[in-house]
């Protein structure tokens, strides 16, 4: 089932929750709606489900206009962040609810029972059908909620922060498991999350939202490698920002020339966005930006170093090998070997991939005393 | 320790002692006088009227209360705060004033009174007036019990039910109602106790016609004013017993279904 939203708008007391949002989800696709709280991602999901009515705009399932269709008739499987299981019903009655609520083609009770047991098997909860929701763990409850949504053989599956209320380990397990279920059942699936790691790991396509608009809709690789806007860049992964000046085809920081290609960006102020891997330490005495180390912390096999550069003390984070000793207040020189520049054009942001310049291949000097230079 | 002593002492003085006095006074002239007082035709008529009023008022408020609580807890609309205030009105206004409002509304000099009169419908100083006044006075009990409960539970279970294809009625009876049944039961018990015990508003609209428009509380006052203290307390003990039975039923239910209630709250 293809899901298509066209020009959706929704206003809540002065705030635009959805500001002219259009989105198409292809049949069988697994799409993540990613954004900070208040970005409109949950409103978009609930509008597609029919739990919210848009102020304007239309939702289509396979070219069927749903404007006048009640939520009961849309056939959506909706999974809530806090499960929303029926507390007074046993697991099996929860899962059977949608089948029993059917007015047409209501299956026989024996058929319902068979279906419930089948779904329990799918979500790996066989044997718990007589339990009440209060007797289950959070992860188990969310699986029951998913089984209940799948029971009605939904045309689309919509999940609102499905793992948001679970602890980190259960969340990881359920993520992998949801991906497996998706591959097995093939439902067109949309899920909302504020966790970029979850979105990038799970989804075929990630839709990044901010302030009621879609900032970018692309594969996880594209989202990470070529973020379309500064917002996407800073929301996905670690990032540092320094303001630079563009002029004569060169970028400068405090009138110091940066050794960067900036392509066809217009002259004027711009923002240089950097990931930790876009910055290296200069150990060969070559050109670079001098700075002062303000903090270091250990992240896995690397050491994340924060330094302050330039007159305005812009903070830049980069990774250094853990075996290199780096202390606070130490002076360092860094070189920018990548990143993205976003010029300030009113009609949007122009982006240019910066190529590594000058001495590209550069080896860590482990020789003693290398820092004294 | 001091706090416990103070609160127990206060409870004893303000609640238990008066209750004991009712029973002591009721039996002060012996069992014979007690049962004679209860067997009086006027007493039996008052008891019947009280039960009739409760049988009408409690189900009416059950429907109104659930509807109002559902509306307030599950929907957002303009004037919600105003509606909440309206629900509290019977608590805020003195019952006597409430009674007077109905006298003004249905009395001979009002706009409604003559119209109803021409159709032969008597509201004031008759059973309908008593029923209306009682419904008004007891309106907040069920709604007030349900609103915080429903608000705390939110709407996601209802949303889940409709997304699974359930109709509005099915959602209400299979999801909403089971989730609030204990609060609802408690509200009904309180509403019933007040409906049977209401004095002020009913006193104003009833006209005190013995054997016709006297409810139990009004009958007690009349007996007391006639210097029949023992009889008055005998009838009063009936009302007091109603209160005790109400409390006992509530306690029993809570004990019997403690596990289920706890399981619901935990979720």
């Amino acid at each position: 089932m293809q899901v298509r939203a066209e020009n959706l708008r929704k206003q809540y007391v002065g705030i635009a929750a959805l500001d002219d949002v259009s989105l198409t989800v292809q049949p069988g696709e697994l799409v993540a709606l990613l954004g900070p709280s208040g970005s409109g991602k949950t409103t978009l999901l609930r509008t597609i489900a029919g739990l919210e009515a848009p102020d304007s705009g239309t939702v289509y399932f396979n070219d069927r206009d749903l404007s006048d269709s009640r939520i009961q008739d849309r056939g959506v499987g909706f999974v809530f962040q806090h499960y929303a299981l029926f507390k007074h019903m046993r697991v099996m009655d929860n899962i059977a609810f949608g089948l029993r609520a059917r007015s047409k083609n209501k299956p026989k009770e024996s058929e319902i029972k068979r279906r419930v047991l089948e779904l329990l098997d799918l979500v790996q909860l066989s044997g718990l059908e007589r339990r009440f929701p209060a007797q289950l763990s959070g992860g188990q409850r969310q699986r029951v909620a998913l089984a209940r949504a799948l029971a009605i053989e939904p045309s689309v599956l919509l999940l609102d922060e499905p793992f948001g209320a679970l602890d980190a380990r259960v969340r990881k397990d359920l993520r992998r498991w949801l991906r497996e279920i998706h591959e097995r059942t093939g439902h067109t699936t949309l899920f909302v999350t504020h966790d970029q790691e979850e979105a990038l790991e799970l989804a075929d396509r990630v839709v990044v939202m901010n302030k009621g608009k879609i900032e970018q809709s692309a594969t996880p690789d594209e989202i990470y490698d070529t973020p379309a806007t500064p917002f996407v860049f800073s929301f996905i992964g670690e990032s540092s920002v320094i303001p630079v000046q563009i002029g004569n085809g060169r970028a400068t920081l405090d009138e110091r020339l940066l050794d960067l290609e900036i392509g066809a960006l217009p002259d004027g102020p711009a923002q240089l966005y950097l990931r930790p891997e876009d910055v290296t330490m200069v150990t060969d005495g070559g050109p670079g930006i001098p700075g002062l180390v303000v903090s270091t912390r250990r992240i896995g096999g690397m050491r994340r170093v924060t330094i302050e550069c330039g007159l305005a003390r812009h903070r830049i984070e980069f990774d250094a090998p853990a075996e290199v000793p780096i202390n606070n207040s130490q002076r360092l020189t860094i070189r920018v070997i990548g990143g993205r520049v976003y010029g300030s054009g009113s009609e949007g942001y122009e982006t240019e991939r910066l190529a590594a310049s000058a001495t590209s291949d550069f080896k860590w000097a482990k020789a003693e005393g290398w820092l004294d230079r | 320790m001091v706090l416990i002593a103070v609160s127990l002492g206060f409870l004893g003085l303000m609640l238990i002692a008066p209750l004991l006095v009712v029973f002591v006074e009721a039996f002060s002239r012996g069992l014979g006088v007690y049962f004679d007082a209860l067997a009086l035709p006027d007493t039996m008529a008052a008891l019947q009227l009280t039960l009739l009023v409760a049988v009408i008022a409690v189900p009416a408020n059950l429907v109104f209360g659930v509807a109002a609580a559902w509306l307030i807890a599950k929907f957002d609309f303009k004037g919600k705060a105003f509606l909440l205030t309206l629900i509290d009105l019977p608590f805020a206004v003195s019952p006597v004033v409430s009674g007077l409002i109905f006298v003004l509304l249905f009395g001979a000099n009002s706009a409604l009174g003559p119209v109803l009169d021409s159709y032969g419908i008597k509201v004031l100083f008759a059973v309908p007036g008593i029923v209306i006044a009682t419904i008004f006075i007891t309106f907040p009990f069920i709604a007030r019990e349900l609103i915080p409960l429903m608000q705390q539970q939110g709407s996601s279970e209802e949303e889940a039910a409709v997304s699974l294809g359930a109709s509005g009625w099915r959602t209400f009876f299979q999801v909403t109602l089971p989730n609030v049944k204990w609060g609802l039961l408690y509200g009904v018990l309180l509403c019933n106790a007040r409906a049977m015990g209401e004095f002020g508003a009913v006193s104003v609209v009833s006209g005190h016609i013995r054997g016709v428009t006297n409810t139990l509380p009004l009958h007690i006052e009349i007996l007391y004013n006639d210097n029949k203290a023992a009889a008055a307390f005998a009838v009063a003990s009936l009302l007091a017993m109603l209160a005790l039975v109400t409390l006992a039923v509530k306690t029993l239910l809570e004990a019997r279904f403690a596990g289920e209630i706890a399981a619901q709250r935990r979720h």
Side-chain angles (χ1 to χ4, degrees):
Chain A
M1 180 79 76
Q2 187 203 55
V3 177
R4 193 151 49 88
E6 272 182 13
N7 307 99
L8 293 181
R9 285 178 191 277
K10 175 90 182 173
Q11 197 96 10
Y12 288 121
V13 260
I15 304 152
L18 293 179
D19 188 0
D20 199 15
V21 169
S22 298
L23 174 72
T24 303
V25 181
Q26 296 306 334
E29 208 176 5
L30 179 57
V31 168
L33 298 176
L34 175 67
S37 51
S39 59
K41 56 193 192 303
T42 295
T43 308
L44 176 57
L45 191 81
R46 289 172 61 87
T47 305
I48 290 171
L51 291 167
E52 308 274 351
D55 296 339
S56 65
T58 317
V59 176
Y60 299 90
F61 285 0
N62 275 356
D63 296 322
R64 185 165 68 103
D65 181 345
L66 296 182
S67 300
D68 300 319
S69 154
R70 300 181 314 154
I71 175 167
Q72 282 97 333
D73 305 325
R74 292 195 181 191
V76 294
F78 202 98
V79 176
F80 295 80
Q81 178 177 8
H82 296 287
Y83 330 121
L85 293 178
F86 307 127
K87 300 186 267 295
H88 57 284
M89 292 184 199
R90 293 178 193 280
V91 166
M92 56 179 303
D93 297 321
N94 262 283
I95 297 173
F97 187 89
L99 296 171
R100 289 185 182 141
R102 270 189 201 170
S103 46
K104 282 175 274 179
N105 318 322
K106 187 172 148 180
K108 284 199 211 95
E109 202 51 39
S110 57
E111 168 66 14
I112 289 177
K113 187 155 187 204
R114 193 189 59 77
R115 192 90 186 96
V116 167
L117 293 178
E118 205 177 274
L119 282 159
L120 273 170
D121 188 47
L122 179 74
V123 300
Q124 300 160 8
L125 286 178
S126 297
L128 299 185
E129 59 266 24
R130 308 278 307 156
R131 296 265 187 98
F132 281 101
Q135 297 166 319
L136 301 174
S137 71
Q140 289 172 330
R141 283 181 209 174
Q142 197 56 295
R143 290 172 196 221
V144 174
L146 187 73
R148 184 178 68 177
L150 289 172
I152 61 168
E153 284 155 20
S155 42
V156 293
L157 191 57
L158 305 173
L159 306 100
D160 184 8
E161 304 247 2
F163 313 128
L166 303 168
D167 62 59
R169 253 201 63 190
V170 179
R171 201 150 63 202
K172 280 215 154 133
D173 284 350
L174 278 190
R175 241 187 250 169
R176 199 168 318 129
W177 167 83
L178 179 65
R179 179 82 229 181
E180 280 169 24
I181 296 238
H182 173 76
E183 265 151 29
R184 208 164 339 150
T185 60
H187 287 102
T188 307
T189 305
L190 267 117
F191 72 98
V192 158
T193 181
H194 61 263
D195 182 346
Q196 40 114 348
E197 195 187 319
E198 190 168 291
L200 294 177
E201 180 183 324
L202 197 48
D204 299 325
R205 189 151 60 92
V206 178
V207 175
V208 183
M209 292 189 69
N210 184 35
K211 293 183 182 161
K213 285 180 182 297
I214 291 178
E215 295 265 337
Q216 189 172 11
S217 167
T219 64
D221 283 349
E222 286 165 342
I223 290 273
Y224 192 87
D225 294 334
T226 54
T229 65
F231 175 82
V232 177
F233 194 108
S234 52
F235 194 73
I236 307 284
E238 303 281 337
S239 64
S240 311
V241 193
I242 45 177
V244 293
Q245 198 68 30
I246 307 271
N248 302 325
R250 311 305 306 254
T252 52
L253 170 67
D254 300 333
E255 297 180 356
R256 182 192 292 267
L257 201 60
L258 294 176
D259 200 7
L260 298 171
E261 289 174 18
I262 46 103
L265 277 171
D267 288 1
Q271 306 284 326
L272 174 59
Y273 278 73
L274 301 169
R275 300 235 185 263
E277 61 265 28
D278 292 333
V279 176
T280 61
M281 250 185 330
V282 178
T283 54
D284 53 5
I289 310 169
L292 192 68
V293 176
V294 289
S295 73
T296 64
R297 65 200 151 98
R298 188 64 191 263
I299 294 183
M302 304 293 277
R303 194 185 303 282
R304 178 71 44 89
V305 183
T306 308
I307 66 165
E308 286 181 347
C309 295
L311 297 174
R313 299 184 159 199
H314 305 293
R315 294 201 161 195
I316 298 177
E317 289 194 326
F318 68 97
D319 290 336
E323 63 269 21
V324 177
I326 294 176
N327 303 313
N328 284 357
S329 308
Q330 182 182 325
R331 296 203 162 275
L332 281 180
T333 303
I334 56 158
R335 179 178 296 147
V336 176
I337 56 166
R340 288 178 80 80
V341 184
Y342 296 90
S344 56
S346 57
E347 67 284 344
Y349 296 91
E350 295 194 41
T351 65
E352 284 297 319
R353 181 82 195 165
L354 294 174
S357 61
T359 50
S360 53
D361 231 354
F362 149 93
K363 298 233 162 31
W364 285 101
K366 286 190 190 172
E368 263 182 79
W370 68 275
L371 276 170
D372 298 335
R373 250 189 296 200
Chain B
M1 274 310 282
V2 177
L3 277 179
I4 295 174
V6 167
S7 40
L8 280 184
F10 186 81
L11 272 179
L13 195 69
M14 299 302 290
L15 292 175
I16 298 173
L19 203 57
L20 282 176
V21 168
V22 168
F23 285 98
V24 169
E25 284 290 327
F27 292 102
S28 61
R29 302 276 185 86
L31 276 178
V33 175
Y34 181 82
F35 285 111
D36 283 350
L38 294 189
L40 281 176
D42 285 355
T43 308
M44 292 317 288
L47 179 63
Q48 276 175 9
L49 180 60
T50 299
L51 291 177
L52 175 70
V53 169
V55 161
I56 300 172
V58 173
N61 273 338
L62 181 71
V63 175
F64 292 156
V66 170
W70 161 271
L71 189 65
I72 284 173
K74 309 279 181 186
F75 298 94
D76 267 320
F77 55 91
K78 279 187 180 147
K80 188 160 147 175
F82 180 65
L83 186 60
L84 262 174
T85 316
L86 272 189
I87 289 176
D88 280 340
L89 194 67
F91 276 170
V93 176
S94 159
V96 177
V97 176
S98 312
L100 284 174
I101 290 170
F102 287 110
V103 170
L104 288 176
L105 205 59
F106 297 111
N109 298 325
S110 71
L112 271 175
V115 177
L116 290 171
D117 227 26
S118 66
Y119 287 101
I121 301 168
K122 239 175 107 50
V123 175
L124 277 189
F125 315 126
V127 176
I130 298 173
V131 171
I132 291 171
T134 307
I135 289 177
F136 178 80
I137 291 295
T138 56
F139 181 69
F141 284 97
I142 291 173
R144 268 280 153 200
E145 195 68 37
L146 293 185
I147 288 167
L149 194 62
M150 283 185 171
Q151 277 176 337
Q152 177 219 327
Q153 288 175 345
S155 306
S156 55
E157 279 185 52
E158 280 84 1
E159 289 178 347
V162 292
S163 78
L164 291 167
S167 65
W169 286 111
R170 192 183 184 93
T171 303
F172 177 75
F173 283 111
Q174 294 201 352
V175 176
T176 308
L177 210 53
N179 273 336
V180 297
K181 61 184 173 196
W182 298 110
L184 185 63
L185 185 70
Y186 192 46
V188 165
L189 287 175
L190 282 179
C191 178
N192 182 52
R194 182 63 187 265
M196 292 186 172
E198 172 55 22
F199 179 83
V202 170
S203 171
V204 176
V205 297
S206 90
H208 302 267
I209 306 167
R210 290 192 190 196
V212 182
T213 62
N214 260 354
T215 60
L216 279 181
L218 302 184
H219 187 57
I220 294 168
E221 194 209 16
I222 289 174
L223 288 174
Y224 191 76
N225 289 343
D226 287 353
N227 287 323
K228 293 174 186 160
F233 278 109
V235 181
S237 72
L238 274 186
L239 275 182
M241 268 192 286
L242 168 78
L244 291 178
V245 167
T246 302
L247 285 179
V249 168
K250 176 182 167 270
T251 313
L252 268 178
L253 285 173
E254 277 180 357
R256 167 74 180 74
F257 296 102
E260 198 180 322
I261 295 171
Q264 287 203 8
R265 295 220 173 115
R266 214 183 312 137
H267 189 75

